[in-house]
Amino acid sequence: MHFSRLRNSRVFFPLVASLLLVLTAIPRAFSVDAPKIIQKDGRYALIVDGRPFLVLGGQIHNSSAWPSELPQVWESMAALHANTVEAPVYWEQFEPQPGHFDYTNVDQIVEGARAHNLHVVLLWFGTWKNGNMHYVPDWVKTDPKRFPRTIRPDGEPIDVLSPMSPNTREADKAAFVALMRHLKEIDSEQHTVILIQVENESGNVGSVRDNSPESNHEFTGPVPSDLLSAAHKQAGSWSQVFGADADEVFQAYHQAKYINEIATAGKAEFAIPYYINVWIDYPAAELPQRQIDLPGIGYPSGGAVQKLVGLWRALAPSLDMIGPDIYANDSAFYRETIKAYHRADNPLWIPETGRDDSFAKFFFYALGDGALGFSPFGVDQTGWNILGDQPWKAHANNFALILPMDREIAQLEFDGKLKTVVEEPGTTADEIDFGAWQATVAYGFPQPDGRRAPGTKDAHGTALVAQLGPDEFLVTGVDASVSFHLPGKLPWIRSQIISAEQGTYENGVWKPLRRWNGDETDRGLCFYAKPQLVRVKLGRF
C-alpha cells in the first residue's frame, strides 16, 4: 500500500499509537530486568540494571538488623564507603507465629538502603546459622517431636535441626517463600536487593551427621544415583563408596538437597541470584581457636567446604554461587581458598572476611581473580565485636578508591582487562604483563634511584592496572610505584608517557583533576596511602 494512502486512512493513527506505545515501553522493559549472574569466556559478572556491578559490601553484626540499630548501620556504611549492605533476616522475628509474617525489619532495611543509595544483600537466618538452630522461631525450638534435632552417635540430641525432617524443611520453605514474595512486591523494579543468601554457614556443630534411627537405616543402604553421578563413583553403600568421609558426605548430600529445595521455591517467587556462604575448613595452624580439624568440631559438618564445593554445585543447581567466609589472614591460605572457590562452575564471591587492616590487601587479590564482591564482617558500630577492636581503616580506604568507578572496575574485570599485584613478605617488586606493555610495581617508600625498593613493614602494598586501549591504562595502588616499560627494556628506553591524568569517574565519565609530570612520573607513578587514580597514555619512539 502506498504511504500517502495509508496516512489518510483510519488505520494509520492506531498504528502510530501502537508503535509509540511499544517504543516508550522499551526503556521500562529494560529497566525491570532483575539482577542476574552471567558468564563470558570463563569470567562472571553480577548484572544490576543492565551493567556489571561490583559489591563493595559491609556485613553488619548478627543483631544489628533491628530498626533500633539501623541509624548507626547507615552511618557505618558511609564511613566504609560501601555500595552494599549485607543484613540478616531472622526467621524468629519474621514468623513469630506459624503463618503470621512480620515484614517490619526487612522493609526498614530496604527503605533505609534506598535512602542512603545502597544496595542490599539479604541473609536468611533460617534452619541454620553458624551450624546451629539459634534463629528458628520459638514454636520450632519448643516442638522437637515435630521438628527433630540432630542426634549424636551416643543418642544425645544437639541444638541443630536435622535435614532429614520434611516438617522442618517445609516450615523453613514456607517462611522463605513468603519473604521472597514480599520482596517481589516491594523491589521488583527498583532492584535494591541484588543477592539472597540461603541460610548461614549451614551444617552440624556437635555431630558429623544425624544418627536418628531413620538416618542410620538410610546410611546402611545404597548411595543415591544422583550423588554417585556427581562424585563419579560406582554403586555401593555409603561406607563402601566414601570410606572415612561417608558420614560427612551423607550430611552434605541431605543438606544440599534441603537447601536447593528452599532456593528453588524462593526463586519461583523472586528470581534474583541466590548463594550460600561457607564456614570453611581451616588447618589448626591458621585458626588456633579451632584446634581440631574435623567436621562437626572444627567446622559445621555438611557445609560446602573446600573439598565439597564440586558436589554442592552439582546437588544444589538453584544456587548461583558458593562463597567462602575467610577469617585467616595467612596469605598463602587465603589465596588457596580463593582458588578452591573460583571455579569454572562457580563465580568468586567473598561474602565475609576479617575487618581488621591485615585483611585489606586481599581485596586486591579478589579483584585480580574477577570477584563479584568483597565484604568485611562486623563493620557497624555496636560497641561489641567478636573479632575484637583491631583498627580497620584500610578497608574504608580501598572502598573509597574504588567506589567512584565500581561499575567501570566490574566491567574491566568481566572483560579480562584488569590485573592486580599484592606485596608479600620478602618481595619488594612485581611485574604485570599486558603483552605489548609491562609494568614494574615496587613497594614502599622512599625509593632512591638505583636502589631496591624497601617494601612496607607489614607487606600491605598493592597495585591495580587495567588496560583501556592498546597504549592506555588505568592505574592505582597503595604504597607502591608503577613504571611502564616495553618487554625486555627498562622504563624510558624506547617508551614514554604521553600523558598521565589524575582524575575520577562521575556517572561513568572520566573527569580529569590534574596532570602528573616531573617528580610525579619520573620515578614511576607513585601511590601512597591516599586514594588516587591515574589514567596514563604511553608511546614508543
Side-chain angles (χ1 to χ4, degrees), residues 398-433:
N398 287 346
F399 285 9
L401 174 65
I402 300 299
L403 181 62
M405 55 174 176
D406 54 0
R407 293 284 191 163
E408 287 71 29
I409 292 296
Q411 184 67 59
L412 289 164
E413 280 188 303
F414 191 44
D415 293 339
K417 300 293 187 181
L418 183 148
K419 297 188 179 185
T420 63
V421 289
V422 178
E423 181 185 7
E424 294 295 343
T427 301
T428 61
D430 280 306
E431 286 289 315
I432 302 178
D433 186 2

Side-chain angles (χ1 to χ4, degrees), residues 201-213:
E201 294 184 346
S202 64
N204 291 342
V205 171
S207 182
V208 182
R209 67 169 175 87
D210 182 31
N211 292 271
S212 66

Side-chain angles (χ1 to χ4, degrees), residues 31 112 184 226 234 243 246 277 304 380 399 413 492 505 519 530:
S31 72
K184 181 179 181 179
D226 57 344
Q234 297 299 314
N277 66 326
D380 60 310
F399 285 9
E413 280 188 303
W492 308 111
Y505 280 95
D519 290 342
K530 183 179 179 181

Side-chain angles (χ1 to χ4, degrees), residues 334-412:
Y334 209 107
R335 286 177 286 162
E336 288 171 5
T337 304
I338 284 177
K339 184 178 180 181
Y341 288 88
H342 187 198
R343 299 162 46 101
D345 61 357
N346 193 62
L348 179 60
W349 156 239
I350 311 296
E352 291 184 35
T353 196
R355 74 170 194 169
D356 74 69
D357 287 356
S358 67
F359 287 88
K361 73 179 187 180
F362 300 120
F363 172 63
F364 289 91
Y365 272 128
L367 289 182
D369 275 317
L372 304 188
F374 187 90
S375 298
F377 171 78
V379 293
D380 60 310
Q381 307 303 305
T382 65
W384 178 89
N385 195 314
I386 193 172
L387 303 178
D389 295 321
Q390 308 98 324
W392 51 285
K393 295 180 180 179
H395 286 301
N397 289 339
N398 287 346
F399 285 9
L401 174 65
I402 300 299
L403 181 62
M405 55 174 176
D406 54 0
R407 293 284 191 163
E408 287 71 29
I409 292 296
Q411 184 67 59
L412 289 164

Side-chain angles (χ1 to χ4, degrees), residues 202 252 255-256 259 276 302-304 308-317 319 322:
S202 64
Q255 196 169 300
I259 289 177
I276 60 166
L308 296 177
V309 180
L311 286 183
W312 265 87
R313 292 301 290 136
L315 295 170
L319 298 174
I322 298 172

Side-chain angles (χ1 to χ4, degrees), residues 74-98:
W74 309 131
E75 292 177 2
S76 299
M77 292 303 109
L80 182 61
H81 302 283
N83 62 19
T84 305
V85 60
E86 292 187 14
V89 178
Y90 318 117
W91 187 7
E92 60 181 349
Q93 178 274 328
F94 184 70
E95 190 180 11
Q97 299 296 327

Side-chain angles (χ1 to χ4, degrees), residues 184-492:
K184 181 179 181 179
E185 292 173 355
I186 67 171
D187 198 46
S188 60
E189 293 189 8
Q190 291 182 263
H191 309 152
T192 304
V193 181
I194 57 175
L195 293 172
I196 300 292
Q197 179 181 292
V198 189
E199 314 296 341
N200 183 276
E201 294 184 346
S202 64
N204 291 342
V205 171
S207 182
V208 182
R209 67 169 175 87
D210 182 31
N211 292 271
S212 66
E214 296 81 6
S215 293
N216 288 340
H217 176 73
E218 182 174 333
F219 188 74
T220 61
V223 173
S225 59
D226 57 344
L227 178 55
L228 290 173
S229 177
H232 307 290
K233 298 283 189 179
Q234 297 299 314
S237 70
W238 289 87
S239 295
Q240 289 170 338
V241 174
F242 295 107
D245 293 328
D247 290 287
E248 183 178 7
V249 176
F250 181 89
Q251 172 70 22
Y253 175 78
H254 289 286
Q255 196 169 300
K257 302 283 279 188
Y258 182 114
I259 289 177
N260 185 68
E261 188 169 330
I262 291 172
T264 301
K267 276 194 169 181
E269 298 290 340
F270 190 52
I272 68 171
Y274 288 33
Y275 74 95
I276 60 166
N277 66 326
V278 184
W279 179 336
I280 59 175
D281 180 7
Y282 295 93
E286 300 302 337
L287 216 63
Q289 65 267 37
R290 296 284 175 181
Q291 292 289 342
I292 301 176
D293 181 22
L294 291 173
I297 301 176
Y299 59 89
S301 179
V305 294
Q306 294 92 315
K307 64 183 179 182
L308 296 177
V309 180
L311 286 183
W312 265 87
R313 292 301 290 136
L315 295 170
S318 284
L319 298 174
D320 296 274
M321 56 184 174
I322 298 172
D325 297 346
I326 314 178
Y327 287 99
N329 62 3
D330 176 80
S331 186
F333 176 78
Y334 209 107
R335 286 177 286 162
E336 288 171 5
T337 304
I338 284 177
K339 184 178 180 181
Y341 288 88
H342 187 198
R343 299 162 46 101
D345 61 357
N346 193 62
L348 179 60
W349 156 239
I350 311 296
E352 291 184 35
T353 196
R355 74 170 194 169
D356 74 69
D357 287 356
S358 67
F359 287 88
K361 73 179 187 180
F362 300 120
F363 172 63
F364 289 91
Y365 272 128
L367 289 182
D369 275 317
L372 304 188
F374 187 90
S375 298
F377 171 78
V379 293
D380 60 310
Q381 307 303 305
T382 65
W384 178 89
N385 195 314
I386 193 172
L387 303 178
D389 295 321
Q390 308 98 324
W392 51 285
K393 295 180 180 179
H395 286 301
N397 289 339
N398 287 346
F399 285 9
L401 174 65
I402 300 299
L403 181 62
M405 55 174 176
D406 54 0
R407 293 284 191 163
E408 287 71 29
I409 292 296
Q411 184 67 59
L412 289 164
E413 280 188 303
F414 191 44
D415 293 339
K417 300 293 187 181
L418 183 148
K419 297 188 179 185
T420 63
V421 289
V422 178
E423 181 185 7
E424 294 295 343
T427 301
T428 61
D430 280 306
E431 286 289 315
I432 302 178
D433 186 2
F434 284 97
W437 288 100
Q438 294 183 325
T440 300
V441 179
Y443 306 110
F445 295 99
Q447 296 182 3
D449 292 342
R451 298 184 187 180
R452 182 180 178 183
T456 63
K457 291 182 180 179
D458 56 354
H460 68 263
T462 60
L464 179 154
V465 182
Q467 188 163 23
L468 304 179
D471 302 312
E472 189 171 4
F473 296 86
L474 195 66
V475 190
T476 190
V478 176
D479 285 340
S481 68
V482 180
S483 300
F484 286 93
H485 61 92
L486 296 172
K489 297 186 181 295
L490 294 172
W492 308 111

